[in-house]
Amino acid sequence: MSKKAEILNVPIDAITMKEAIRKVTSFVEGDTLKKVYTPNPEIVMLAQENKELDRIVKEADLVVPDGIGLIIASKLKSKGLIERVTGVDLMHHLLLYCASNHKSIYIMGGKPGVAEMAVTNIAAKYKGINIAGFRDGYYKQEETESVINDINQSGADVLFVCLGAPRQEIWIDKHKDQLKCKVAMGVGGSVDIHAGTAKRAPEIYQKMGMEWFYRLAKEPWRFKRMLVLPKFLIKFILKG
Ligand code: UDP
């Protein structure tokens, strides 16, 4: 078990990207479902009020710090987080592993057409990967059972759930006993990045921990959502 850093009572694995890759790839070889989440400060703040989300994160098998705000907070109070481990980067390494080990993946989420574009691009980029299936994330509630049957019948080893947070974490938790895959990972907007419908910030922004700024400039309507970051830091300084 890796060390956990408690950020406002939310336990996050204090691991490097390398260790996270080792862990998640070992999960693929296991025989029970492992739940992997990639929270940012927004989720940590939501978990303060939402007890269900708090429990869900606490019951995860791997929780990686996706968000520079978590790293800054951890440094301020020596909580032990080592580096940022983003969902999109961890997904990339998991896809590389699946490609070289002939594992299969299923992508669920994104607007109609987006998951299909994502798996097409993934199949071209990660040669050898087995695409078990895909499904958009806008089906009706009553279709959930058939979506789960499709995922299970596909025989996928890894399921990427891309419904945005916290919807994806709640979805994984709700269906954890029905899912037959080895890994269910909540990776939000990664489906859009693989589909090419959204672009990741250039590397320079990523290295400087300014990815959020790039995203804000491209999608200014996110401003309100991003106000949570200063609120998170203030709360963390006072209580964390
Ligand atoms: N989404 C979905 N079903 C929904 C709501 C959202 O499939 O009911 C998808 C949405 O199309 C997008 C992803 O979930 O592809 C969320 O992306 P966003 O970047 O907002 O999430 P984040 O990564 O910031 O949590």
Coordinates of all heavy atoms in Angstrom, one line a residue, residues 109-111 137-138 162-165 167 188-189 191-192 215 222 225, ligand 1:
G109 N -18.5 7.2 -22.4 CA -18.6 8.6 -22.1 C -18.3 9.5 -23.3 O -17.9 9.1 -24.3
G110 N -18.6 10.8 -23.1 CA -18.5 11.8 -24.1 C -19.7 11.9 -25.0 O -20.6 11.1 -24.9
K111 N -19.8 13.0 -25.7 CA -21.0 13.2 -26.6 C -21.1 12.2 -27.7 O -20.1 11.5 -28.0 CB -20.9 14.6 -27.2 CG -20.9 15.7 -26.2 CD -21.3 17.0 -26.8 CE -21.4 18.1 -25.8 NZ -20.3 19.1 -25.8
G137 N -21.8 8.9 -23.5 CA -22.2 9.1 -22.1 C -23.5 9.8 -21.9 O -23.8 10.4 -20.8
Y138 N -24.4 9.7 -22.9 CA -25.7 10.5 -22.8 C -26.9 9.5 -23.1 O -27.9 10.0 -23.6 CB -25.7 11.6 -23.8 CG -24.7 12.7 -23.4 CD1 -23.4 12.6 -23.8 CD2 -25.1 13.8 -22.6 CE1 -22.4 13.6 -23.4 CE2 -24.2 14.7 -22.2 CZ -22.9 14.7 -22.6 OH -22.0 15.6 -22.2
C162 N -15.8 8.2 -18.8 CA -15.5 9.6 -19.1 C -16.9 10.4 -19.0 O -17.4 10.9 -20.0 CB -14.9 9.8 -20.5 SG -13.5 8.7 -20.7
L163 N -17.4 10.6 -17.8 CA -18.6 11.3 -17.6 C -18.4 12.6 -16.9 O -19.4 13.3 -16.7 CB -19.6 10.4 -16.8 CG -20.0 9.1 -17.4 CD1 -20.9 8.3 -16.4 CD2 -20.7 9.2 -18.7
G164 N -17.2 13.0 -16.7 CA -16.9 14.2 -15.9 C -17.1 13.8 -14.4 O -17.8 12.9 -14.0
A165 N -16.4 14.6 -13.6 CA -16.4 14.3 -12.1 C -17.5 15.2 -11.5 O -17.7 16.3 -11.9 CB -15.1 14.7 -11.5
R167 N -19.7 12.6 -11.6 CA -20.6 11.7 -12.2 C -19.9 10.3 -12.4 O -20.5 9.2 -12.1 CB -21.2 12.2 -13.5 CG -22.4 11.6 -13.9 CD -22.9 12.2 -15.2 NE -23.8 13.3 -15.0 CZ -23.5 14.6 -15.4 NH1 -22.4 14.8 -16.0 NH2 -24.4 15.5 -15.2
G188 N -12.7 11.6 -17.1 CA -13.3 12.9 -17.5 C -13.1 13.2 -19.0 O -13.4 12.4 -19.9
G189 N -12.6 14.4 -19.2 CA -12.5 14.9 -20.6 C -11.4 14.3 -21.4 O -11.2 14.7 -22.6
V191 N -11.5 11.6 -23.0 CA -12.1 11.1 -24.2 C -12.1 12.2 -25.3 O -11.9 11.9 -26.5 CB -13.6 10.5 -23.9 CG1 -14.5 11.6 -23.5 CG2 -14.1 9.8 -25.1
D192 N -12.3 13.4 -24.9 CA -12.3 14.5 -25.9 C -10.9 14.7 -26.5 O -10.8 15.1 -27.6 CB -12.9 15.8 -25.3 CG -14.3 15.6 -24.8 OD1 -15.2 15.5 -25.7 OD2 -14.5 15.5 -23.6
R215 N -6.5 26.3 -20.2 CA -7.9 25.8 -20.3 C -8.9 27.0 -20.1 O -9.9 27.1 -20.8 CB -8.2 24.7 -19.3 CG -9.3 23.8 -19.8 CD -9.3 22.5 -19.1 NE -10.4 21.7 -19.6 CZ -10.8 20.6 -19.0 NH1 -10.3 20.2 -17.9 NH2 -11.8 20.0 -19.6
R222 N -15.5 28.3 -18.1 CA -15.1 27.5 -16.9 C -14.8 28.4 -15.7 O -14.5 27.9 -14.6 CB -13.9 26.6 -17.3 CG -14.3 25.5 -18.1 CD -13.1 24.6 -18.3 NE -13.5 23.4 -19.1 CZ -13.9 22.3 -18.5 NH1 -13.8 22.1 -17.2 NH2 -14.3 21.3 -19.2
R225 N -16.4 27.7 -12.4 CA -16.0 26.4 -11.8 C -14.6 26.5 -11.2 O -14.3 25.9 -10.2 CB -15.9 25.3 -13.0 CG -17.1 24.4 -12.9 CD -17.0 23.4 -14.0 NE -16.1 22.3 -13.8 CZ -15.9 21.3 -14.6 NH1 -16.6 21.2 -15.7 NH2 -15.1 20.3 -14.3
Ligands
UDP1 N1 -20.2 13.7 -20.2 C1 -21.0 12.6 -20.5 N2 -22.2 12.5 -20.0 C2 -22.8 13.4 -19.2 C3 -22.0 14.6 -18.9 C4 -20.7 14.7 -19.4 O1 -20.5 11.7 -21.2 O2 -23.9 13.2 -18.8 C5 -18.9 13.9 -20.8 C6 -18.7 15.2 -21.6 O3 -19.2 15.0 -22.9 C7 -17.1 15.2 -21.6 C8 -16.8 14.6 -20.2 O4 -18.0 13.9 -19.8 O5 -16.6 14.4 -22.6 C9 -16.5 15.6 -19.1 O6 -15.5 16.4 -19.5 P1 -15.0 17.6 -18.5 O7 -13.8 18.1 -19.2 O8 -16.2 18.6 -18.2 O9 -14.8 16.9 -17.2 P2 -13.6 16.9 -16.2 O10 -12.5 16.1 -16.9 O11 -13.2 18.4 -16.1 O12 -14.1 16.3 -15.0

